[in-house]
Amino acid sequence: MGGVRVTRYHADAVVPCDAAGTVHRPGVVEVDADGRIAAVGPAAGSAGGDVRLDGLLMPGLVNVHCHSPMTLFRGAAEDVPLMTFLHDVLWPREARLTDDDVYWGMTLACAELLRAGVTTSCEMYLHEAALAAAVVDGGTRCVLTPGVMDVPGWLSWRERLDAVVAFHDAHRGRHPRVEIGIAAHSAYTLPPEALEELAAAAHERDALVHVHVAETREEAGHLSVLAEHGMLDGRALVAHAVWLDDDDLRLLRERDVGVAHCPQSNAKLAAGIARLVDMLDLGLRVGLGTDGPSSNNDLDLWEELRLAPLLARLQTGRAEVVPAAEAVRLATAGGAAALGRDDIGVLEPGRWADFVLVRLDDPAFTPVVEDGDILSHLAWSASSRLVTDVWVGGECVVRAGSCTTVDEERARREVDERARRLAAAPPL
């Protein structure tokens, strides 16, 4: 390797999550000193310096839409529709948030994400400096899109946009694990002028624009509003995308917009089922998101990995749609593609060495008659409970099931205490 120090991980199986559905049994992943993947392939003997791992190596999962600091509000609003959730519970509490609240909410989320094998998340939230600090300290990778919205009595879109643009310009490229974008909450929380100015600011900076769209039936038609005001002209990611018609889907394809499919949150809020099969048939860039832990109520992307194809089959009446390999790719390579990132989501040379070790000595992985069974078991019978170790940029951040980067006991205590204070929030 030209004298560059390489660590060679030798595992019982390696699933790169490439387009071919490759499975190496056994396999190796080589990581260079910069935390990038140097080589991936079948094992052909082993050298004395190999790191021997019992289990399966695969890419870290990519959660393309979440509000992870909402660990502070987990369980706060149950059995209510979206607008009740936002107006009566969430926004009054968020209006009282401090930087420290968000830091600890995100810190706890980092441990939860990593222990579930999620190495990258796309975050839409407030108090962005505190969130970024928690990501850096917590060891995850993040596409951070600070949110802009207008809520009377709390947020002014003009002030938020100015603050978010200033944050972007000051923090862009500051840390290799944090990409900065810009989020518009939705077409129903921002006037047309705000959408246009936000889109212009993002396009000027080649920043990802992240926005909720068509989550509920009442939002049908909002995609065209976003398009009219420039929101889909550059790098764009739309979250939920449930209530879209054929013209909407074609518009997403024409503009090459990424989609965050959040089946569990959409089901819990009775919002609907997105047209996943139609999106994939059109060639849209689709990844999976959990949404926030106050509307899901966890950050475990394995649950989305299984629920997405199940709902797609119920919706279409076709048992062959979204097969196992495609479901696994939605949570890995698909998420990377939805974010416009070609440096994560697949185990291949040049990408970041973000990968997870999954136990194979479990009934969920028995039997394995042929290589395809590995992919079937990953999609249909595995879960986050089988994730034992996790690496981000070549650094081990979860070892034997414990997060090495977060004091989980303190984080739980901090979040619990802060959640009690926030629960006393008066109405806006």
Side-chain angles (χ1 to χ4, degrees), residues 162-174:
D162 289 346
V164 168
V165 168
F167 176 82
H168 177 280
D169 293 347
H171 288 79
R172 181 177 184 175
R174 179 175 291 188

Side-chain angles (χ1 to χ4, degrees), residues 121-133 135 142-147 167-168 171 177-183 208 210:
S121 66
C122 182
E123 301 290 344
M124 178 193 291
Y125 214 58
L126 311 166
H127 297 269
E128 46 275 1
L131 197 160
V135 166
C142 179
V143 179
L144 172 54
T145 62
F167 176 82
H168 177 280
H171 288 79
R177 285 191 279 105
V178 182
E179 176 190 352
I180 310 297
I182 301 177
L208 179 71
H210 183 188

Side-chain angles (χ1 to χ4, degrees), residues 72-84:
L72 292 154
F73 311 121
R74 197 188 326 253
E78 302 293 351
D79 312 319
V80 295
L82 176 64
M83 291 304 166
T84 302

Side-chain angles (χ1 to χ4, degrees), residues 171-352:
H171 288 79
R172 181 177 184 175
R174 179 175 291 188
H175 195 281
R177 285 191 279 105
V178 182
E179 176 190 352
I180 310 297
I182 301 177
H185 179 272
S186 61
Y188 62 84
T189 60
L190 290 168
E193 179 187 2
L195 296 174
E196 291 176 1
E197 292 197 26
L198 188 151
H203 302 340
E204 179 183 343
R205 293 161 174 79
D206 191 31
L208 179 71
V209 172
H210 183 188
V211 58
H212 296 109
V213 67
E215 182 176 0
T216 63
R217 189 187 300 268
E218 292 73 22
E219 297 169 60
H222 285 193
L223 184 69
S224 60
V225 174
L226 297 176
E228 289 169 8
H229 297 290
M231 291 287 291
L232 308 183
D233 291 345
R235 296 177 57 205
L237 173 74
V238 296
H240 301 294
V242 175
W243 295 95
L244 300 182
D245 61 23
D246 291 348
D247 289 340
D248 292 328
L249 294 183
R250 283 192 290 267
L251 177 60
L252 292 178
R253 181 67 188 93
E254 291 167 4
R255 304 293 180 90
D256 190 26
V257 175
V259 177
H261 178 38
C262 307
Q264 188 163 268
S265 174
N266 293 340
K268 185 170 186 285
L269 293 171
I273 303 172
R275 297 168 59 185
L276 176 61
V277 174
D278 292 335
M279 293 178 184
L280 295 175
D281 286 347
L282 280 173
L284 298 184
R285 297 182 286 114
V286 182
L288 300 177
T290 59
D291 207 1
S294 56
S295 63
N296 183 304
N297 289 6
D298 60 38
L299 297 169
D300 188 344
L301 205 70
W302 290 88
E303 297 174 1
E304 316 299 328
L305 188 165
R306 182 175 297 119
L307 185 58
L310 290 175
L311 291 180
R313 295 178 181 199
L314 284 174
Q315 186 181 53
T316 62
R318 297 163 55 198
E320 74 276 10
V321 300
V322 196
E326 188 165 26
V328 174
R329 277 178 55 81
L330 282 173
T332 53
L339 295 176
R341 296 286 296 259
D342 60 5
D343 58 347
I344 56 175
V346 181
L347 299 184
E348 66 179 15
R351 301 206 185 205
W352 288 110

